[in-house]
């Protein structure tokens, strides 16, 4: 993860840029998620445990019955997570307007929210390990003044390609103060060390982040701030 110092200038906002999410890709992104893999692999782990540690079938039934009250809420919680991802990502569209960023999504009902300009405090581009082969990204934002309804306006792109993620980013930050904003952001997403002029994290960061410390860094844009 890398951070960028961005320009405070506000040029005229584009009127036609938008980001959207496709249903097929949305479903694939849910399948390529750790909760889904955990559910699918649970019977395999149970079978291996029974095979490696042979026990009486009556004991298995007794343990399963006692654990039912614990497992069922977990399964319903995971199913609720999947359903939430589908309903908030289905038909998703984010577009720029004079009032700010307009968000529209919904499966059984269509929800619309408008994020006023200047309210976005932070932007985060996330990529699961299972999404790296397809180079999919999820873009979320933190909006000031929406603490009670932050979940409704926090998603700027449920899942999309790198180019679609950059398009979603330009909705919020149309000017990074950099001559090559797309290249700079791409390096911030997947660069290593001081590649591209970034200031890499110190080797002492390895103690706190042994897996990702090489990918962390910061860079100040070359344009005026």
């Amino acid at each position: 993860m890398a951070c960028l110092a961005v320009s405070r200038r506000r040029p005229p906002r584009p009127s036609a840029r938008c980001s959207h999410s496709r249903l097929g890709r949305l479903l694939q992104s849910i399948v390529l998620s750790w909760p889904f893999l955990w559910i699918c692999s649970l019977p395999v782990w149970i079978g291996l445990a029974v095979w490696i540690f042979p026990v009486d079938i009556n004991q298995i039934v007794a343990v399963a019955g006692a654990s039912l009250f614990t497992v069922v809420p977990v399964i319903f919680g995971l199913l609720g997570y999947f359903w939430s991802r589908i309903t908030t990502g289905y038909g998703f569209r984010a577009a720029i307007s004079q009032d700010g960023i307009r968000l529209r999504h919904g499966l059984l009902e269509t929800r619309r929210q408008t994020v006023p300009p200047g309210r976005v405090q932070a932007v985060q581009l996330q990529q699961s390990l299972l999404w790296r082969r397809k180079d999919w990204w999820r873009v979320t934002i933190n909006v000031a003044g929406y603490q009670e309804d932050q979940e409704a306006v926090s998603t700027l792109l449920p899942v999309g390609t790198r180019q679609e993620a950059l398009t979603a980013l330009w909705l919020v930050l149309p000017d990074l103060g950099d001559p090559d904003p797309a290249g700079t952001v791409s390096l911030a997403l997947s660069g290593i060390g001081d590649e591209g002029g970034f200031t890499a994290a110190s080797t002492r960061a390895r103690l706190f982040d042994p897996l990702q410390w090489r990918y962390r860094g910061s860079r100040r844009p070359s344009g005026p701030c």
Side-chain angles (χ1 to χ4, degrees), residues 1-3 191 193 198-202 205 209 212-218:
M1 180 183 295
C3 61
F198 279 79
T199 301
S202 171
D209 191 3
Q212 295 288 330
W213 72 274
R214 293 181 182 272
Y215 300 93
R216 298 189 180 276
S218 61

Side-chain angles (χ1 to χ4, degrees), residues 36-90:
F36 186 87
L37 291 182
W38 182 83
I39 287 182
C40 293
S41 63
L42 186 59
V44 177
W45 290 111
I46 294 177
L48 287 175
V50 173
W51 180 63
I52 296 175
F53 306 102
V55 293
D56 184 72
I57 188 64
N58 294 326
Q59 294 180 348
I60 297 178
V61 173
V63 172
S67 303
L68 189 62
F69 293 100
T70 304
V71 174
V72 169
V74 173
I75 293 178
F76 274 102
L78 290 173
L79 292 178
Y81 165 81
F82 297 143
W83 179 251
S84 175
R85 282 299 179 96
I86 293 176
T87 55
T88 57
Y90 180 83

Side-chain angles (χ1 to χ4, degrees), residues 40-218:
C40 293
S41 63
L42 186 59
V44 177
W45 290 111
I46 294 177
L48 287 175
V50 173
W51 180 63
I52 296 175
F53 306 102
V55 293
D56 184 72
I57 188 64
N58 294 326
Q59 294 180 348
I60 297 178
V61 173
V63 172
S67 303
L68 189 62
F69 293 100
T70 304
V71 174
V72 169
V74 173
I75 293 178
F76 274 102
L78 290 173
L79 292 178
Y81 165 81
F82 297 143
W83 179 251
S84 175
R85 282 299 179 96
I86 293 176
T87 55
T88 57
Y90 180 83
F92 184 92
R93 180 171 292 270
I96 205 72
S97 68
Q98 295 297 329
D99 300 326
I101 303 175
R102 292 185 178 179
L103 307 176
R104 186 184 70 181
H105 58 86
L107 178 60
L108 300 181
E109 62 176 357
T110 301
R111 298 193 62 181
R112 294 180 174 88
Q113 291 90 20
T114 300
V115 180
R119 289 288 188 90
V120 179
Q121 297 178 315
V123 185
Q124 184 177 28
L125 287 85
Q126 302 169 305
Q127 184 185 63
S128 169
L129 178 64
L130 302 174
W131 290 5
R132 289 187 179 179
R133 184 176 180 180
K134 294 182 177 293
D135 199 21
W136 287 347
W137 295 86
R138 175 181 173 86
V139 183
T140 58
I141 56 178
N142 183 277
V143 183
Y146 282 79
Q147 284 76 13
E148 297 181 357
D149 199 23
Q150 186 68 231
E151 184 67 24
V153 297
S154 63
T155 302
L156 196 58
L157 181 67
V159 56
T161 62
R162 181 181 294 247
Q163 184 57 48
E164 291 171 343
L166 291 178
T167 301
L169 179 62
W170 306 148
L171 295 178
V172 181
L173 299 174
D175 181 22
L176 291 180
D178 192 276
D180 182 20
T184 299
V185 174
S186 293
L187 286 174
L189 296 178
S190 55
I192 299 177
D194 58 358
E195 182 181 0
F198 279 79
T199 301
S202 171
T203 54
R204 290 177 295 181
R206 183 188 309 174
L207 178 64
F208 304 97
D209 191 3
L211 299 179
Q212 295 288 330
W213 72 274
R214 293 181 182 272
Y215 300 93
R216 298 189 180 276
S218 61

